[in-house]
Amino acid sequence: MRNGLILLILLSGLAACRKDPGLQVDDVDGPFLLELPVGAPPLPVPDANPLTKASVSLGKALFFDTRLSRDGSMSCASCHHTDRAFSDTLALSLGVNGSPGMRNAPTLANVAYHPGIFRDGGIPTLEAQVIAPVQDDLEMDHSLQAAAESLSVDEEYQRLSQLAYGRDLDPFVITRAIAAYERTLISGWSRFDRYLYQGQAQALTESERRGWDLFRSDALNCMACHNGFDLSDHSYQNIGQYLAYADPGRARITLDLADEGKFKVPTLRNIALTGPYMHDGAMATLDEVIDHFASGGQAHPNRSPLLTTFALNEQERADLLAFLHALTDERSIDQVP
Amino acid sequence: MRQRSILHQLFVVLVLPLTLVTCKQGQPVPPEPELIGTLRVVIRPTWDGMPFHMNEVYHNVSDYRVKVEALKFYLGDVRFVDDGFFAAAKDVSYFDLQHDGDTVVWNNVPTGTWTSLRMGLGVPQALNDADPIVYPPGHPLSLALGTYWTWATAYRFVMFDGRYDLDGAGTGPVQQPFSMHTGVNVCYREFDLPLATPLVVNGTSTSTVVLELAVDRFFHSDGEVLDLATENQTHGNDPAHVVALKLTNNVINAFSAQ
């Protein structure tokens, strides 16, 4: 009891000494209790990086910290906007040098469920993924070590780092904390979820329900890949976007020409918010996307055999679009205070 | 017949190894070297046998004008060798020739007298596949060195960058860029480097080994030419690694030890 009182007073004293008023997280003890939507599979969390209040709070603060970039101009959130389900509005995000990146920044919603990170799946874990944007000269163009050194002067960061990982803030902590935060970005709060997983038939309009029927029809065959809770099987598919791809896609990782032009099937959650679409952001609207799939795509040798051609009348197109809009979450996917 | 065959197999499996063990026991076992030596490793680049300088224009085997702007590489799993006996000396070491050479000191290397080195050009697979975040600043695999391919979650092995001009008689600036980075496990290559004079490592003083690196040989070996006109880029995304493997082979053949 006496020790607890001393600790409390000591912590209060430390808090009073804080120089940076920007970050102040009070409730940081214990595990972070993530609320999973009905229908969501158990969250895969590595034993070595558990979700704690300290780890996810630290990760969130780092996610929005521009000191992770070489010139202090951009953070992770610069390309993963909270109001866009953590995706970007640009076809190709701009890095600190003003030059466009290689690919369209995808939504981070449900990224915890992805077996491989990035559109080519080349990064095995969220922890390893953090290194890439920080050190990529087309993105933040910084050194993770240098970033850690500049961030470690922040006393609140150090406090959270010690609480979460028992060590001072360093590249290890940065990668773990940001990964922990990203793992909490769970989408599953749309009207479609209420309709499908909670039996609320009225959650969707008639038009949206017709769109859902079209979506799961054999004629459109969307669900061949866009299935499961994340509306993606996370497989790699060539959708015949080009006859010759400037970006090798999955083949960059596997070095197998049979994988050229294949990219990870994206989630359709919040699809109305995450345009422009495709790996290079080449399609600005959902109408363009529907047109592409209706055409069956171009005859690339690796084009997925799952693609079909189809035709939609005006009403069917409107219904399909309405359904896709019903996949937008009704609440924030960010649960970290 | 079948029973005889089984007896024969039993003999091979049980009796023969005993014989081998007996023979082995009769051989002298070399003493385990102590890991208390210090070795200074000097990389001395040359061009046609003369000292090499970064950013200087040279003529390569194709009579192209060539200017090297960056040359960095890893040597991995270095072992000292003598008369068939191997002693591990260094897991991985990084060299950056930006100052026309590089010198790295290896501590805790095995003492003894050694006649050759065996090493790999690149980062051994176990280290290449490991999490890079654990290496502190100053470690050859530290992320701070910028040698990690984040997209491939692997290290680059050889980073060879510069400019070239196909006109060997040209006098203007050399402008066309070449950039050849090797760095996936299939490009890791072991090679042996006989030492001109035996390397003596003891626990009392620092020994030195000078590895000469003939940069002009980066463009040819074994009668095969790496032609900058068509082979000037490689970044790990060629399924066959044609340029990367050719460069790897050339670099290995460019080493010699004094």
Side-chain angles (χ1 to χ4, degrees), chain A residues 63-79 81 94-99 138-142:
Chain A
F63 188 89
F64 289 90
D65 199 317
T66 57
R67 286 175 288 182
L68 281 175
S69 61
R70 179 175 52 75
D71 61 0
S73 65
M74 61 186 298
S75 67
C76 307
S78 301
C79 303
H81 302 279
L94 301 178
V96 294
N97 301 314
S99 49
L138 293 178
E139 297 186 50
M140 293 161 149
D141 194 23
H142 205 7

Side-chain angles (χ1 to χ4, degrees), chain A residues 68-144:
Chain A
L68 281 175
S69 61
R70 179 175 52 75
D71 61 0
S73 65
M74 61 186 298
S75 67
C76 307
S78 301
C79 303
H80 296 283
H81 302 279
T82 51
D83 59 343
R84 294 283 174 169
F86 290 79
S87 69
D88 202 357
T89 53
L90 297 174
L92 300 175
S93 305
L94 301 178
V96 294
N97 301 314
S99 49
M102 188 177 160
R103 293 176 182 148
N104 177 255
T107 172
L108 298 182
N110 293 346
V111 72
Y113 295 111
H114 290 213
I117 313 299
F118 286 172
R119 291 186 185 269
D120 57 26
I123 310 259
T125 65
L126 278 173
E127 284 76 5
Q129 173 274 328
V130 174
I131 302 166
V134 175
Q135 301 220 151
D136 189 334
D137 55 3
L138 293 178
E139 297 186 50
M140 293 161 149
D141 194 23
H142 205 7
S143 143
L144 204 54

Side-chain angles (χ1 to χ4, degrees), chain A residues 91-306:
Chain A
L92 300 175
S93 305
L94 301 178
V96 294
N97 301 314
S99 49
M102 188 177 160
R103 293 176 182 148
N104 177 255
T107 172
L108 298 182
N110 293 346
V111 72
Y113 295 111
H114 290 213
I117 313 299
F118 286 172
R119 291 186 185 269
D120 57 26
I123 310 259
T125 65
L126 278 173
E127 284 76 5
Q129 173 274 328
V130 174
I131 302 166
V134 175
Q135 301 220 151
D136 189 334
D137 55 3
L138 293 178
E139 297 186 50
M140 293 161 149
D141 194 23
H142 205 7
S143 143
L144 204 54
Q145 182 63 41
E149 284 165 13
S150 60
L151 292 166
S152 61
V153 300
D154 189 311
E155 290 178 15
E156 184 67 355
Y157 274 157
Q158 292 291 20
R159 183 178 75 99
L160 291 171
S161 180
Q162 285 291 344
L163 274 170
Y165 299 104
R167 58 197 284 169
D168 285 344
L169 188 83
D170 62 5
F172 178 91
V173 170
I174 293 173
T175 55
R176 268 58 187 174
I178 292 178
Y181 171 61
E182 290 176 338
R183 214 164 258 128
T184 69
L185 301 175
I186 299 299
S187 165
W189 316 100
S190 68
R191 286 188 291 111
F192 172 68
D193 290 296
R194 284 199 279 124
Y195 173 83
L196 189 68
Y197 295 111
Q198 298 180 39
Q200 297 181 21
Q202 301 311 311
L204 294 185
T205 65
E206 275 188 35
S207 173
E208 289 162 350
R209 285 201 296 269
R210 287 196 300 271
W212 166 229
D213 288 339
L214 276 169
F215 182 82
R216 59 184 174 160
S217 67
D218 290 342
L220 271 62
N221 207 27
C222 307
M223 288 193 74
C225 300
H226 292 286
N227 56 46
F229 176 75
D230 198 27
L231 292 167
S232 165
D233 62 2
H234 305 132
S235 64
Y236 302 94
Q237 302 290 340
N238 179 317
I239 58 163
Q241 191 179 345
Y242 300 109
L243 281 174
Y245 282 80
D247 184 336
R250 180 69 175 160
R252 190 187 191 202
I253 304 303
T254 63
L255 303 173
D256 183 349
L257 288 175
D259 286 334
E260 189 179 69
K262 289 184 180 177
F263 295 91
K264 188 166 57 183
V265 174
T267 179
L268 294 187
R269 293 188 165 280
N270 296 293
I271 193 70
L273 301 176
T274 58
Y277 305 100
M278 306 306 170
H279 71 277
D280 54 358
M283 298 184 197
T285 65
L286 284 173
D287 267 312
E288 282 180 65
V289 175
I290 291 171
D291 287 341
H292 170 80
F293 283 108
S295 76
Q298 303 204 52
H300 189 281
N302 296 338
R303 182 180 59 175
S304 173
L306 298 168

Side-chain angles (χ1 to χ4, degrees), chain B residues 40-118:
Chain B
R40 181 187 297 116
V41 183
V42 179
I43 303 290
R44 185 178 293 163
T46 63
W47 188 284
D48 285 341
M50 302 298 288
F52 166 84
H53 301 288
M54 301 292 279
N55 297 302
E56 196 167 301
V57 178
Y58 294 95
H59 285 76
N60 78 353
V61 66
S62 307
D63 198 26
Y64 302 154
R65 292 194 302 150
V66 174
K67 182 173 71 169
V68 178
E69 296 174 332
L71 175 51
K72 309 165 192 174
F73 59 88
Y74 282 102
L75 295 178
D77 194 16
V78 183
R79 281 162 284 171
F80 295 165
V81 187
D82 180 52
D83 196 22
F85 181 77
F86 293 81
K90 189 70 181 169
D91 54 355
V92 69
S93 197
Y94 172 68
F95 298 91
D96 182 346
L97 275 55
Q98 59 174 319
H99 300 303
D100 300 338
D102 199 4
T103 299
V104 172
V105 174
W106 297 345
N107 294 311
N108 305 318
V109 298
T111 54
T113 300
W114 310 100
T115 54
S116 70
L117 305 176
R118 176 170 288 183

